[in-house]
């Protein structure tokens, strides 16, 4: 039969350094010396890109694959949409130039002809008013 015996570690028995009950904690400093020493060691050697690339280890591979697939799908749809809208813009522009411009010119010419006919009728009616019953007006 096996007999278990508990062995106490000496480090548990010793008191830990720190303030006693009557001492107060010093909370005036903004950062502790341990935290500033740790931050200064890692800040100098590591760039932002390296830190950003290290974050990929936090995200599981399946989630990264899913995000990558979603991003690829969105970019392909956006690319397809931009290509199709560019083609549509080309079709509309060339159609306007081939059909719309000649139509606008013909419409403007027709408007000028209408104005010319009105002027001719106005001159004719003015001439008739001046010569009523074949007599010139004084």
């Amino acid at each position: 039969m096996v007999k278990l015996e508990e062995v106490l570690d000496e480090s548990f028995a010793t008191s830990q350094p720190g303030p006693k009950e009557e001492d107060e904690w010093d909370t005036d400093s903004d950062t502790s010396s341990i935290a500033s020493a740790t931050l200064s060691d890692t800040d100098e050697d590591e760039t932002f890109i390296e830190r950003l690339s290290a974050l990929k280890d936090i995200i599981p591979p399946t989630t990264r694959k899913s995000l990558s697939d979603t991003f690829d799908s969105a970019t392909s749809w956006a690319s397809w949409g931009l290509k199709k809208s560019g083609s549509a813009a080309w079709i509309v522009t060339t159609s306007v130039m081939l059909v719309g411009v000649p139509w606008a010119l013909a419409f403007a010419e027709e408007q000028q002809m209408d104005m010319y006919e009105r002027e001719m009728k106005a001159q004719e009616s003015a001439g008739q008013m001046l010569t009523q019953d074949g007599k010139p007006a004084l």
Side-chain angles (χ1 to χ4, degrees), residues 30-134:
D30 291 336
T31 58
S32 67
S33 61
I34 296 172
S36 64
T38 306
L39 288 176
S40 65
D41 291 342
T42 58
D43 285 345
E44 295 173 4
D45 299 335
E46 197 170 36
T47 64
F48 179 72
I49 301 298
E50 290 172 344
R51 285 186 178 203
L52 194 61
S53 67
L55 289 176
K56 73 177 184 180
D57 296 334
I58 295 173
I59 302 171
T62 55
T63 307
R64 276 188 278 161
K65 174 84 169 110
S66 173
L67 289 173
S68 175
D69 291 344
T70 303
F71 180 76
D72 290 341
S73 176
T75 54
S76 68
W77 276 105
S79 174
W80 179 83
L82 288 173
K83 286 179 184 176
K84 293 302 178 184
S85 64
S87 297
W90 176 258
I91 291 169
V92 168
T93 304
T94 53
S95 297
V96 165
M97 291 180 75
L98 292 175
V99 175
V101 171
W103 178 82
L105 292 173
F107 184 75
E109 186 178 342
E110 188 176 331
Q111 291 290 326
Q112 286 178 345
M113 291 299 289
D114 286 344
M115 290 294 289
Y116 180 72
E117 287 176 4
R118 285 185 201 150
E119 286 179 15
M120 293 304 284
K121 284 182 183 179
Q123 286 178 359
E124 189 177 303
S125 66
Q128 284 180 359
M129 289 178 75
L130 291 175
T131 58
Q132 290 180 357
D133 295 331

